[in-house]
Amino acid sequence: MRFVIALGGNALLHRHEAPEAATQVARLSLAAPALARIAAAHQVVFVHGNGPQVGLLARESAEDETLTSPYPLSALGAETQGLIGSLLIQALHNAGHPGQAVTVITHTVVDADDAAMGTPTKFIGAVYDCRHARRLADDNGWDIAADGEGWRRVVPSPLPRRIVELSAAATLLAAGSTVVMGGGGGIPVIDSDGYRPVEAVIDKDHTAALLARLLHADALVILTDVPGVIADYGTPAATVIAATTPALLRTLPFAAGSMGPKVDAACGFVEATGKRAAIGSLDHVQDVLDGTVGTQITASLSPRHPAVFRAGPSSAPPTR
Ligand code: ADP
Ligand code: MG
């Protein structure tokens, strides 16, 4: 079988944890044995997030007084693909993955006239007080917006349209390699008289869904730090949706920037292909893949995937 597996930020760092290199190595070594077993048994593409890592590099670059301007996001995204790809490959090998795992530095083509390009909504990097954020915005041409008590940089988050390295990835997969690609959603470029990088961040879940479709994956698996898609999230009635269809899921509201893009990406894959998508916990990757836990999304409900809502202690919203 061929799977595209999206790894949430929790594969490398837990929320609010400092982005220490050693912490990321340690976290990956916990997830790697299960991932290596799956990669050994199937054709697998891993797509990882890069939020904390790109935030760290952006801050370092912004604070470097020897630079006249900070590195563009496209350059920082490329750096994080190399870093995280390398860490993941080392972890897979150290966990006994018998084959080759290869990172493909990936460029993702977006539409220059994507409606999102004019409306920066995605928060990136550190939280600043208002004055500090204003100064950084003036100095660097950033857009900023309030995020809770503080202020942060915001960038557009356009949809991925095309993967530049797609055919190379398909060749690697067919030859038996495990492929790490599309990290951080891919380096966003517009295709206009050559590839030109844009200051934007593509949601990695949307890129994973596009890759799953274009590479004819048997399933799209999105792993994160909650047991699945939770209905009535944040309320005492919170329940994990065990099995559902895109038609059902699309009637429910989900948070933009976290569960929203996962649900949208998973539904889009199922609608386009008739195949299965699953959203679940990294800690239970094998069971999520097998269809026994997490939220299983199929074109129609079957006896194997009945329309049940499973409540349980693990479905309570995490306290942060
Ligand atoms: P990742 O790094 O895996 O992409 P995100 O923070 O983007 O992580 O998305 C996962 C988070 O989405 C969870 O930790 C949870 O706090 C949040 N979330 C928001 N709404 C829901 C929901 N309806 N069901 C489950 N989780 C939700
Ligand atoms: Mg996310």
Side-chain angles (χ1 to χ4, degrees), residues 31-96:
L35 300 178
R37 271 195 302 279
I38 292 164
H42 302 283
Q43 292 186 1
V44 176
V45 175
F46 289 112
V47 178
H48 58 78
N50 70 348
Q53 294 81 4
V54 91
L56 171 77
L57 294 178
R59 197 176 67 235
E60 288 175 351
S61 189
E63 288 172 0
D64 188 330
E65 288 172 1
T66 66
L67 298 174
T68 53
S69 60
Y71 275 34
L73 276 179
S74 50
L76 303 178
E79 288 185 47
T80 65
Q81 287 188 2
L83 167 71
I84 300 170
S86 167
L87 294 179
L88 181 54
I89 286 169
Q90 291 177 54
L92 289 171
H93 282 302
N94 296 345

Side-chain angles (χ1 to χ4, degrees), residues 3 5 7 11 27-42 44 46 88 91-98 178 221 223 281-290:
F3 298 115
I5 300 181
L7 298 172
R27 287 254 172 280
L28 273 177
S29 73
L30 297 177
L35 300 178
R37 271 195 302 279
I38 292 164
H42 302 283
V44 176
F46 289 112
L88 181 54
L92 289 171
H93 282 302
N94 296 345
H97 180 41
T178 297
V221 179
L223 300 173
S281 162
L282 173 68
D283 299 338
H284 301 288
V285 48
Q286 184 68 60
D287 295 332
V288 176
L289 194 77
D290 292 344

Side-chain angles (χ1 to χ4, degrees), residues 122 203-205 257-258 261-262:
K122 192 166 180 83
D203 196 286
K204 65 123 180 26
D205 297 312
S258 59
K262 293 185 200 308

Side-chain angles (χ1 to χ4, degrees), residues 34-192:
L35 300 178
R37 271 195 302 279
I38 292 164
H42 302 283
Q43 292 186 1
V44 176
V45 175
F46 289 112
V47 178
H48 58 78
N50 70 348
Q53 294 81 4
V54 91
L56 171 77
L57 294 178
R59 197 176 67 235
E60 288 175 351
S61 189
E63 288 172 0
D64 188 330
E65 288 172 1
T66 66
L67 298 174
T68 53
S69 60
Y71 275 34
L73 276 179
S74 50
L76 303 178
E79 288 185 47
T80 65
Q81 287 188 2
L83 167 71
I84 300 170
S86 167
L87 294 179
L88 181 54
I89 286 169
Q90 291 177 54
L92 289 171
H93 282 302
N94 296 345
H97 180 41
Q100 289 223 319
V102 180
T103 294
V104 176
I105 302 297
T106 308
H107 300 83
T108 305
V109 178
V110 301
D111 288 339
D113 56 2
D114 189 307
M117 291 304 286
T119 44
T121 52
K122 192 166 180 83
F123 290 108
I124 60 160
V127 181
Y128 303 99
D129 64 47
C130 186
R131 195 138 46 107
H132 192 174
R134 284 245 165 81
R135 186 168 53 74
L136 287 169
D138 288 344
D139 288 353
N140 300 313
W142 291 355
D143 291 302
I144 54 170
D147 185 11
E149 305 277 282
W151 287 73
R152 293 176 74 190
R153 183 178 180 195
V154 282
V155 295
S157 188
L159 284 173
R161 296 293 179 197
R162 190 158 57 80
I163 306 291
V164 173
E165 292 78 10
L166 184 77
S167 66
T171 303
L172 285 166
L173 273 180
S177 297
T178 297
V179 178
V180 180
M181 69 184 298
I187 302 156
V189 294
I190 54 171
D191 185 1
S192 163

